Amino acid sequence: MRFDSGRVCLDLVATFTPHEGIRDGDELRLWLAGAGLVPDRTPLARVGPDWVAAFRVLRADVESLVRAELAGAEPDEDALARVNALAAGPPPGLCAVRDREGHLVRELCGGVECGALLAAVARDAVELLTDPGDRALLRACAGDGCTRVYLDTSRGHRRRWCSSELCGNRERVARHRRRALASGSR
């Protein structure tokens, strides 16, 4: 799983590309921890198929809204209503508690609830889609076959790929091959 899209909601959208990245509760647990939605060592015993289904629906709705924004099209009203309804819910509460060594660490107060975690991601999507500055940085990867979206926070705002190391490198290698073939050398 990659967490380099620039926003939690876009990292959720990226879990579907190039294949389903949230197939079960274990993968959702990994994504929730990797995205920073739950502090390290948070027990997530109740994550099950219902959580997976809810996060997949949110992912589809966020992707629909982001793609509409990129295309300059009107957003799907049903997707917008679902994201807004989730965003209106209470986010997870954070507490500072002492660990075994006596250091303060983050912990979710009141347990881990699916609705609260969905609210955090939906709220991130609402913030992205309503912030003109962030909307202007929204990009689709130009990599061949890549469908990821990301925020272009590069200095000149000319970033073309979701990842220079992955899609950018593939493009540079392909460009090199084309030049080598065109010049007749191998």
Side-chain angles (χ1 to χ4, degrees), residues 1 16 25 28 38 45 47 54 56 69-70 73 89 98 113 117 120 123 145-146 148-150 163 167 170:
M1 292 186 182
F16 191 64
L28 180 56
V38 296
V47 175
R56 284 180 176 178
E69 181 62 36
L70 285 169
R98 295 208 182 273
E113 297 296 327
L117 296 171
R123 187 169 287 122
C146 185
R148 290 189 61 160
V149 290
Y150 61 92
S163 167
C167 288
R170 277 192 283 259

Side-chain angles (χ1 to χ4, degrees), residues 19-40:
H19 54 79
E20 178 57 66
I22 302 178
R23 292 178 296 224
D24 57 29
D26 290 337
E27 289 180 339
L28 180 56
R29 281 184 195 90
L30 289 173
W31 185 83
L32 291 168
L37 290 171
V38 296
D40 289 339

Side-chain angles (χ1 to χ4, degrees), residues 110-177:
V112 180
E113 297 296 327
C114 183
L117 296 171
L118 289 166
V121 178
R123 187 169 287 122
D124 184 59
V126 168
E127 289 171 3
L128 168 64
L129 294 167
T130 60
D131 181 321
D134 279 353
R135 271 197 328 258
L137 301 176
L138 196 56
R139 305 278 188 274
C141 183
D144 189 32
C146 185
T147 60
R148 290 189 61 160
V149 290
Y150 61 92
L151 284 187
D152 179 6
T153 57
S154 66
R155 195 160 146 201
H157 302 298
R158 289 186 229 126
R159 184 172 149 196
R160 296 181 45 214
W161 304 292
C162 63
S163 167
S164 182
E165 294 80 22
L166 296 174
C167 288
N169 191 49
R170 277 192 283 259
E171 181 62 29
R172 287 186 289 275
V173 168
R175 197 177 326 137
H176 174 74
R177 281 190 191 128

Side-chain angles (χ1 to χ4, degrees), residues 4-151:
D4 56 0
S5 299
R7 296 298 288 252
V8 170
C9 64
L10 298 179
D11 287 337
L12 178 62
V13 170
T15 63
F16 191 64
T17 303
H19 54 79
E20 178 57 66
I22 302 178
R23 292 178 296 224
D24 57 29
D26 290 337
E27 289 180 339
L28 180 56
R29 281 184 195 90
L30 289 173
W31 185 83
L32 291 168
L37 290 171
V38 296
D40 289 339
R41 300 178 306 278
T42 299
L44 296 170
R46 295 185 9 216
V47 175
D50 54 329
W51 285 45
V52 171
F55 272 88
R56 284 180 176 178
V57 169
L58 176 57
R59 177 182 65 195
D61 288 341
V62 171
E63 181 170 25
S64 168
L65 297 174
V66 166
R67 298 279 179 203
E69 181 62 36
L70 285 169
E74 290 295 316
D76 177 276
E77 292 300 323
D78 292 334
L80 185 59
R82 286 188 297 270
V83 169
N84 281 335
L86 287 172
L94 289 176
C95 300
V97 298
R98 295 208 182 273
D99 65 10
R100 290 182 183 159
E101 291 82 38
H103 302 107
L104 290 177
V105 295
R106 290 184 314 140
E107 192 174 278
L108 294 182
C109 300
V112 180
E113 297 296 327
C114 183
L117 296 171
L118 289 166
V121 178
R123 187 169 287 122
D124 184 59
V126 168
E127 289 171 3
L128 168 64
L129 294 167
T130 60
D131 181 321
D134 279 353
R135 271 197 328 258
L137 301 176
L138 196 56
R139 305 278 188 274
C141 183
D144 189 32
C146 185
T147 60
R148 290 189 61 160
V149 290
Y150 61 92
L151 284 187

